[in-house]
Amino acid sequence: MPELTVVVAKVAFLALVWLFIALIAGTIRTDMVGRAMPAPSGRVPAHRPPSPEASRRQAVPPVTPRPEPEEEPWVLAIDSGSRAGERLQLVDEVHIGRSPQCELMLDDDYISSMHALLRHHPADPSRGVAGHWSLTDLGSTNGTFVNSAKITQPTLVTVDDVMRIGRVQMRLER
């Protein structure tokens, strides 16, 4: 009986070793080849589909789209990374990260699944407030940077600022 136990233990150990090797090979392949990404469309979608988890948390009435402003739309110009050279027309809220649920999905190992939020704050003439954009880090591992400074709270961004998320640099344009 002890011989049978030793043989079973050896076989189980070998199976675990091969499983470990297969996991390492899969990780190396993902690092070398990358993840499958949908073809870029050149425009950030206006609305992302709500996740089942988000709809369970709270029921939010549907958002009616704002009428198109007469001014030129804002554009996000990507200067570096796998999508360098792209210019994406922006909507009011753009989640940035690796998750397919993000409006701007970037394939970069230094970017979290839900890394940052770029939000437009419309002008309010009654209060004398001009429209502006803010960038918020959503608790990412590697941080979000504006002009090489790590941000820890919602930060105003303008056309003069360079935003860096992971290895991707981007800027606002009119």
Side-chain angles (χ1 to χ4, degrees):
M1 188 71 163
E3 289 179 21
L4 181 61
T5 306
V6 171
V7 169
V8 168
K10 285 181 181 180
V11 170
F13 177 73
L14 283 174
L16 286 174
V17 167
W18 281 108
L19 178 66
F20 181 70
I21 290 171
L23 288 173
I24 289 174
T27 301
I28 290 171
R29 187 195 66 76
T30 302
D31 285 347
M32 301 275 290
V33 176
R35 290 172 190 80
M37 300 276 298
S41 65
R43 179 181 165 95
V44 177
H47 300 285
R48 67 185 165 111
S51 67
E53 179 183 318
S55 58
R56 276 183 291 202
R57 279 183 278 175
Q58 64 183 29
V60 178
V63 177
T64 55
R66 290 188 333 185
E68 286 293 322
E70 293 181 17
E71 60 190 36
E72 190 177 327
W74 285 93
V75 172
L76 184 67
I78 301 176
D79 296 328
S80 65
S82 62
R83 296 179 69 172
E86 287 188 39
R87 297 181 72 229
L88 308 170
Q89 187 173 341
L90 291 173
V91 292
D92 288 340
E93 265 191 15
V94 179
H95 288 83
I96 304 170
R98 291 192 318 198
S99 170
Q101 296 177 343
C102 290
E103 287 85 6
L104 177 55
M105 192 169 97
L106 300 170
D107 186 25
D108 183 336
D109 292 335
Y110 294 97
I111 296 177
S112 300
S113 59
M114 289 293 255
H115 195 103
L117 173 66
L118 183 62
R119 175 180 286 154
H120 182 253
H121 304 274
D124 186 356
S126 65
R127 292 186 1 210
V129 177
H132 62 279
W133 289 87
S134 68
L135 183 66
T136 306
D137 183 84
L138 299 176
S140 66
T141 303
N142 294 313
T144 301
F145 297 83
V146 175
N147 299 327
S148 301
K150 186 173 184 176
I151 63 171
T152 57
Q153 59 188 7
T155 302
L156 177 72
V157 289
T158 66
V159 293
D160 298 325
D161 296 321
V162 175
M163 300 170 276
R164 182 170 61 82
I165 296 175
R167 292 179 281 197
V168 178
Q169 286 191 346
M170 55 194 91
R171 57 193 160 72
L172 289 174
E173 288 182 351
R174 274 304 242 182

